[in-house]
Coordinates of all heavy atoms in Angstrom, one line a residue:
S150 N 85.2 -68.0 109.9 CA 85.9 -67.8 111.2 C 85.8 -69.1 112.1 O 86.4 -69.1 113.2 CB 85.3 -66.7 112.0 OG 85.3 -65.4 111.3
G151 N 85.2 -70.1 111.5 CA 85.2 -71.4 112.2 C 84.0 -71.6 113.1 O 83.9 -72.6 113.8
I152 N 83.0 -70.7 113.0 CA 81.7 -70.9 113.7 C 80.9 -71.9 113.0 O 80.6 -71.7 111.8 CB 80.9 -69.6 113.9 CG1 81.8 -68.5 114.5 CG2 79.7 -69.8 114.7 CD1 82.3 -68.8 115.9
P153 N 80.5 -73.0 113.6 CA 79.8 -74.1 112.8 C 78.3 -73.8 112.6 O 77.4 -74.3 113.2 CB 79.9 -75.3 113.8 CG 80.0 -74.7 115.1 CD 80.8 -73.4 115.0
V154 N 78.1 -72.8 111.7 CA 76.7 -72.4 111.3 C 76.2 -73.4 110.3 O 76.8 -73.7 109.3 CB 76.6 -71.0 110.8 CG1 75.2 -70.6 110.4 CG2 77.2 -70.0 111.8
I155 N 75.0 -73.9 110.6 CA 74.3 -74.9 109.6 C 73.2 -74.2 108.9 O 72.3 -73.6 109.5 CB 73.8 -76.1 110.4 CG1 74.9 -76.8 111.1 CG2 73.1 -77.1 109.5 CD1 74.5 -77.9 112.1
T156 N 73.2 -74.3 107.6 CA 72.2 -73.7 106.7 C 71.2 -74.8 106.4 O 71.6 -75.8 105.8 CB 72.8 -73.1 105.4 OG1 73.7 -72.1 105.8 CG2 71.7 -72.5 104.6
E157 N 69.9 -74.6 106.7 CA 68.9 -75.5 106.4 C 68.0 -74.8 105.3 O 67.3 -73.9 105.5 CB 68.0 -75.8 107.6 CG 68.8 -76.6 108.7 CD 67.9 -77.0 109.8 OE1 66.7 -77.3 109.5 OE2 68.4 -77.1 110.9
E158 N 68.2 -75.3 104.0 CA 67.5 -74.7 102.9 C 66.0 -74.5 103.1 O 65.3 -75.5 103.5 CB 67.8 -75.6 101.6 CG 69.2 -75.6 101.2 CD 69.8 -74.3 100.8 OE1 69.0 -73.4 100.4 OE2 71.0 -74.1 100.9
G159 N 65.6 -73.3 102.9 CA 64.1 -73.0 103.0 C 63.7 -72.8 104.4 O 62.5 -72.5 104.7
K160 N 64.6 -73.0 105.4 CA 64.2 -72.8 106.8 C 65.0 -71.7 107.5 O 64.4 -70.8 108.1 CB 64.4 -74.1 107.5 CG 63.4 -75.2 107.1 CD 63.6 -76.5 108.0 CE 62.7 -77.6 107.6 NZ 62.8 -78.8 108.4
G161 N 66.3 -71.8 107.4 CA 67.1 -70.8 108.1 C 68.4 -71.3 108.6 O 69.0 -72.2 107.9
Y162 N 68.9 -70.8 109.7 CA 70.2 -71.1 110.2 C 70.1 -71.7 111.6 O 69.3 -71.3 112.4 CB 71.2 -69.9 110.2 CG 71.3 -69.2 108.9 CD1 70.7 -68.0 108.6 CD2 72.1 -69.8 107.9 CE1 70.8 -67.4 107.4 CE2 72.3 -69.2 106.6 CZ 71.6 -67.9 106.4 OH 71.8 -67.3 105.2
S163 N 71.1 -72.5 111.9 CA 71.2 -73.0 113.3 C 72.7 -73.2 113.6 O 73.5 -73.0 112.7 CB 70.5 -74.4 113.4 OG 71.0 -75.4 112.6
I164 N 73.0 -73.5 114.8 CA 74.4 -73.7 115.1 C 74.6 -75.2 115.6 O 73.7 -75.8 116.1 CB 74.8 -72.7 116.3 CG1 76.3 -72.5 116.3 CG2 74.3 -73.1 117.6 CD1 76.8 -71.3 116.9
M165 N 75.7 -75.7 115.2 CA 76.0 -77.1 115.5 C 75.7 -77.5 116.9 O 76.2 -76.8 117.8 CB 77.4 -77.5 115.1 CG 77.7 -79.0 115.2 SD 79.4 -79.4 114.7 CE 79.4 -79.0 113.0
E166 N 75.0 -78.6 117.1 CA 74.7 -79.1 118.5 C 76.0 -79.4 119.2 O 76.9 -80.0 118.6 CB 73.8 -80.3 118.4 CG 73.4 -80.8 119.8 CD 72.5 -82.0 119.8 OE1 72.2 -82.5 118.6 OE2 72.1 -82.5 120.8
G167 N 76.1 -78.9 120.4 CA 77.3 -79.2 121.2 C 78.4 -78.1 121.1 O 79.4 -78.2 121.8
Y168 N 78.2 -77.2 120.1 CA 79.3 -76.2 119.9 C 79.5 -75.3 121.2 O 80.6 -75.0 121.6 CB 78.9 -75.3 118.7 CG 79.8 -74.1 118.6 CD1 81.2 -74.2 118.2 CD2 79.3 -72.8 119.0 CE1 82.0 -73.0 118.2 CE2 80.1 -71.7 118.9 CZ 81.5 -71.8 118.5 OH 82.2 -70.7 118.5
H169 N 78.3 -75.0 121.8 CA 78.4 -74.1 123.0 C 78.2 -75.0 124.2 O 77.1 -75.6 124.3 CB 77.4 -73.0 122.9 CG 77.5 -72.1 124.1 ND1 78.4 -71.0 124.1 CD2 76.8 -72.0 125.2 CE1 78.2 -70.4 125.2 NE2 77.2 -70.9 125.9
L170 N 79.1 -75.1 125.1 CA 79.0 -75.8 126.3 C 78.5 -74.9 127.4 O 79.3 -74.0 127.9 CB 80.3 -76.5 126.7 CG 80.8 -77.5 125.7 CD1 82.1 -78.1 126.1 CD2 79.8 -78.6 125.5
P171 N 77.3 -74.9 127.8 CA 76.8 -73.9 128.8 C 77.4 -74.1 130.1 O 77.5 -75.2 130.7 CB 75.3 -74.3 128.8 CG 75.2 -75.7 128.4 CD 76.3 -75.9 127.4
P172 N 77.7 -72.9 130.8 CA 78.3 -73.0 132.1 C 77.2 -73.2 133.1 O 77.5 -73.6 134.3 CB 78.9 -71.6 132.3 CG 78.1 -70.7 131.4 CD 77.8 -71.6 130.2
V173 N 75.9 -73.0 132.7 CA 74.8 -73.2 133.6 C 73.8 -74.0 133.0 O 73.5 -73.8 131.8 CB 74.1 -71.8 134.0 CG1 72.9 -72.0 134.9 CG2 75.2 -70.9 134.7
L174 N 73.2 -75.0 133.6 CA 72.1 -75.9 133.1 C 70.8 -75.5 133.8 O 70.7 -75.5 135.0 CB 72.5 -77.3 133.3 CG 73.7 -77.9 132.5 CD1 73.9 -79.3 132.8 CD2 73.5 -77.6 131.0
F175 N 69.8 -75.2 133.0 CA 68.5 -74.9 133.5 C 67.6 -76.2 133.5 O 67.7 -77.0 132.6 CB 67.8 -73.9 132.6 CG 68.4 -72.5 132.7 CD1 69.4 -72.1 132.0 CD2 67.8 -71.6 133.7 CE1 69.9 -70.8 132.0 CE2 68.4 -70.3 133.8 CZ 69.4 -69.9 133.0

């Protein structure tokens, strides 16, 4: 579906840095 999921072998999944632009910064 175009979601930039990154598979790290032996570790798990992450999502590409910068994919989500937060409307709020903490």
Side-chain angles (χ1 to χ4, degrees):
S150 300
I152 307 298
V154 178
I155 299 171
T156 302
E157 298 186 31
E158 294 297 333
K160 293 184 179 181
Y162 303 106
S163 61
I164 202 158
M165 182 181 294
E166 182 178 2
Y168 168 72
H169 184 80
L170 298 177
V173 178
L174 294 179
F175 288 88

